[in-house]
Amino acid sequence: MYITQIVEQLKQEIPTLIVKVEEDLAPYTFTKTGGKADLFVMPTSHNLAAKTLAFAYANQIPLTILGNGSNLIIKDGGIRGIVMYLDALHAIKREGTKVIAGCGAKIIDVSRFALAESLSGLEFACGIPGSVGGALYMNAGAYGGEISDVLIEATVLTVSGELLHLKKRSTRGKIS
Ligand SMILES: Cc1cc2nc3c(=O)[nH]c(=O)nc-3n(C[C@H](O)[C@H](O)[C@H](O)COP(=O)(O)OP(=O)(O)OC[C@H]3O[C@@H](n4cnc5c(N)ncnc54)[C@H](O)[C@@H]3O)c2cc1C
């Protein structure tokens, strides 16, 4: 399928999705290097992210997730298919003694939020420049702490857009 055809189909199937064609990816990475994405999409809700994943899966279009770009080197030739940028999913809230954060939230902001709420556990993350999604994906850590130490559960989308709730197993660092 050509890019123009994919854009037309995306507009029909997910009309509220923000779609950019041939977006320069360098500004989104810490190294400020790299080429363009064929298609760059910015879902503003989890539902739109799920629909985007389902669309890419159904049409066999490669999809790459971009967090805060602090652990990515993008090649000059860019990225084929869809790059999904999740920056808009950045809500952070408190529920009892837990913090619930969207995958697009900066882990530094979540650490600062926990501090402001007098909740301990995320001190180690105060200098890690990634998103929550990237931190979970990479199991980010510093100063002897890591995400798997403090993660309780995660709501995730599969490659086909299915929503799953995963709880951490008692074994350190594993979720099931
Ligand atoms: C100055 C500097 C200091 C750093 N210090 C530390 C440190 O102390 N400790 C540490 O662990 N790391 C550190 N890092 C590395 C980096 O910040 C972490 O690895 C961080 O977790 C990457 O998150 P990101 O959102 O930037 O991911 P990106 O760089 O955008 O992506 C990295 C990978 O995660 C995937 N990904 C991102 N978001 C999602 C998502 N929502 N769902 C699924 N996959 C996703 C991407 O597809 C990609 O494969 C540092 C980096 C820099 C530049």
Side-chain angles (χ1 to χ4, degrees):
M1 212 188 307
Y2 291 110
I3 302 299
T4 46
Q5 286 175 302
I6 300 173
V7 173
E8 278 312 308
Q9 208 172 321
L10 267 175
K11 277 184 186 162
Q12 277 174 19
E13 293 186 26
I14 322 176
T16 52
L17 183 68
I18 300 165
V19 182
K20 296 181 178 185
V21 179
E22 296 267 311
E23 178 77 347
D24 191 1
L25 294 171
Y28 297 93
T29 68
F30 269 59
T31 56
K32 304 293 176 217
T33 57
K36 296 174 191 294
D38 288 341
L39 289 173
F40 184 85
V41 305
M42 291 186 285
T44 49
S45 70
H46 293 98
N47 188 33
L48 286 178
K51 284 183 177 172
T52 305
L53 285 163
F55 175 88
Y57 188 76
N59 293 288
Q60 297 182 317
I61 301 164
L63 185 144
T64 304
I65 295 178
L66 177 61
N68 203 33
S70 66
N71 213 49
L72 282 181
I73 304 280
I74 295 171
K75 63 180 186 283
D76 292 345
I79 300 181
R80 302 286 71 78
I82 297 173
V83 170
M84 186 159 73
Y85 184 49
L86 298 164
D87 189 57
L89 309 181
H90 57 235
I92 306 171
K93 66 176 181 181
R94 176 182 182 155
E95 235 179 58
T97 54
K98 289 186 266 184
V99 174
I100 299 170
C103 59
K106 309 287 181 288
I107 195 72
I108 289 176
D109 292 340
V110 183
S111 177
R112 286 189 185 137
F113 177 87
L115 172 66
E117 294 286 325
S118 301
L119 296 171
S120 64
L122 274 171
E123 297 83 352
F124 74 88
C126 67
I128 302 175
S131 64
V132 167
L136 260 71
Y137 184 86
M138 315 283 300
N139 190 28
Y143 308 117
E146 55 190 32
I147 288 294
S148 62
D149 295 335
V150 291
L151 179 73
I152 298 168
E153 59 188 328
T155 302
V156 303
L157 292 166
T158 65
V159 286
S160 61
E162 189 191 353
L163 190 78
L164 296 178
H165 299 284
L166 305 177
K167 281 189 190 295
K168 193 173 91 169
R169 283 190 209 131
S170 53
T171 320
R172 195 167 179 265
K174 303 272 186 189
I175 54 176
S176 57

